[in-house]
Amino acid sequence: MSEQVRPEDPAMFTGRSVRLAIKVKNWLPNQAEWTHAAQCVQVEEKERIGKFMFRRDAKAAMVGRLLMRFSLSKILGIPSRTLLFKRTEKGKPYLVSPIDRCNPRCDVSFNVSHQGDYVVFAAERGSPLGVDIMKVEWPRNTPVSAFFKTMHRQYTDQEWSEVKRYRDEMDQLKVFYRLWCLKESIVKAYGTGIGFEVSRLNFSFGCQNVLEDEVIADTKVEIDGDPAPEWTFEESFLDGHCVAVAVKYSLPNDQRPSSNAINRSSPRFQVVDMAEVLAGCEPLTGSVPDHQYWELFDAKEEQPGLS
């Protein structure tokens, strides 16, 4: 598993790429932390987070918003409270302000994903980007064969052959989730949401296995049957979770990151401390502590079936 680091390390934010992760499962916010967090996000996002039925989902959504604010304030060198975000019609967050103050440094594409135990954030200068994470786990109350049957149309015949090359069902699931992350990463980079038919994407592996603390970047994609060499995929395995970052480079091939099977030049996801992220986020102008917001959160169950 990746070693935890202090996110204020300036080296993490000075390069072309930023890759951060938080183990949200371990964050058990007290009243002061949750109230502070709510003051650091925009009102519409605070309201959206408050509508989640379970604490687990509310925490993941809150951490995603805080990671965006914390990271972009560091990347752009501006206070987090000055950042203004909106969402596209398909729900992808984008930075609205202060574009004019930091141009041309605002050529930053960013994306957040959360599933399982983690929230991940990825940012790239000058290139569209998408990220996705999936925990490798058994489908709930469903045999693996039945689960695969419901997902059959989402994968190509070639991709299913990669899944079925393994006899062990857990190994099959690992390949299945790996492919799903790849598909979702490119869809999120496009920003088209669920309207994009992922069956249009066909992935071919170079390296068959993704190991902990390695980044591989030799997977290729075809879109509607045509090769799409402009896309580079960084794949890693984080504490039982598949992670994929899709980056669409406009750089010449000789200036792109290496596409070797094990890409030592690609950034690894750094697991950061939630307390440091909270400390680096400032309450927005005009926000006040909302103790009722804490009470509503505290009254929720952590997740389905738990009190």
Side-chain angles (χ1 to χ4, degrees):
M1 177 180 169
S2 297
E3 182 180 354
Q4 193 170 82
V5 298
R6 295 178 65 85
E8 72 269 23
D9 178 2
M12 296 173 62
F13 301 102
T14 56
R16 169 175 289 274
S17 308
V18 176
R19 309 285 187 265
L20 301 179
I22 285 182
K23 194 168 187 178
V24 69
K25 181 180 180 180
N26 290 350
W27 185 39
L28 304 174
N30 57 32
Q31 181 174 351
E33 290 175 328
W34 189 253
T35 303
H36 172 74
Q39 288 185 261
C40 297
V41 299
Q42 292 164 209
V43 173
E44 67 274 15
E45 293 298 334
K46 174 186 169 183
E47 293 175 351
R48 187 181 68 85
I49 292 167
K51 293 177 181 178
F52 283 105
M53 184 174 297
F54 299 103
R55 285 199 300 260
R56 174 193 64 184
D57 302 317
K59 288 191 302 180
M62 182 68 81
V63 169
R65 304 307 294 188
L66 295 175
L67 262 181
M68 282 169 40
R69 287 193 166 275
F70 174 83
S71 301
L72 287 171
S73 72
K74 296 292 186 182
I75 293 169
L76 301 173
I78 55 180
S80 65
R81 67 178 182 276
T82 65
L83 299 171
L84 176 64
F85 297 94
K86 287 189 177 180
R87 290 177 180 265
T88 66
E89 290 184 0
K90 299 297 184 179
K92 185 175 182 179
Y94 65 96
L95 184 63
V96 176
S97 177
I99 296 290
D100 55 340
R101 285 184 52 192
C102 53
N103 197 36
R105 291 184 297 158
C106 274
D107 63 339
V108 180
S109 177
F110 61 92
N111 201 218
V112 175
S113 181
H114 56 81
Q115 200 276 332
D117 302 337
Y118 283 87
V119 178
V120 291
F121 170 89
E124 192 80 13
R125 291 187 180 276
S127 300
L129 162 150
V131 62
D132 197 64
I133 182 169
M134 289 295 296
K135 186 175 184 178
V136 179
E137 57 187 351
W138 293 98
R140 285 187 177 181
N141 305 317
T142 305
V144 172
S145 58
F147 173 61
F148 284 166
K149 187 175 181 180
T150 64
M151 301 295 291
H152 184 75
R153 291 186 176 182
Q154 310 301 321
Y155 287 63
T156 67
D157 290 343
Q158 177 181 323
E159 291 169 337
W160 279 119
S161 69
E162 289 290 345
V163 173
K164 297 298 180 65
R165 103 174 22 238
Y166 299 94
R167 300 186 63 175
D168 182 82
E169 288 186 328
M170 185 55 75
D171 289 334
Q172 291 181 358
L173 283 167
K174 185 173 181 180
V175 178
F176 174 89
Y177 286 122
R178 177 184 176 186
L179 285 164
W180 188 255
C181 277
L182 286 163
K183 288 173 180 284
E184 284 296 303
S185 69
I186 195 171
V187 169
K188 293 177 74 176
Y190 278 129
T192 52
I194 60 175
F196 189 97
E197 294 290 339
V198 295
S199 58
R200 296 170 55 193
L201 306 172
N202 180 58
F203 285 91
S204 301
F205 297 150
C207 184
Q208 291 297 320
N209 296 305
V210 184
L211 303 178
E212 292 275 357
D213 294 325
E214 288 184 350
V215 180
I216 65 170
D218 62 349
T219 294
K220 307 298 182 185
V221 68
E222 295 175 341
I223 303 176
D224 296 327
D226 295 323
E230 68 273 19
W231 288 99
T232 294
F233 300 93
E234 302 165 6
E235 296 183 79
S236 52
F237 198 66
L238 177 64
D239 194 18
H241 298 65
C242 295
V243 189
V245 180
V247 185
K248 187 178 183 181
Y249 285 109
S250 57
L251 298 170
N253 288 339
D254 61 354
Q255 296 181 29
R256 297 183 187 184
S258 169
S259 59
N260 294 332
I262 298 177
N263 190 347
R264 304 191 186 281
S265 65
S266 291
R268 300 181 183 184
F269 277 89
Q270 304 292 328
V271 181
V272 297
D273 184 2
M274 187 61 199
E276 297 288 349
V277 173
L278 282 170
C281 290
E282 306 162 299
L284 303 188
T285 302
S287 66
V288 296
D290 186 344
H291 300 298
Q292 185 180 12
Y293 194 71
W294 159 256
E295 292 171 358
L296 291 171
F297 171 79
D298 191 45
K300 301 176 190 286
E301 294 184 351
E302 176 66 22
Q303 61 187 52
L306 295 179
S307 56

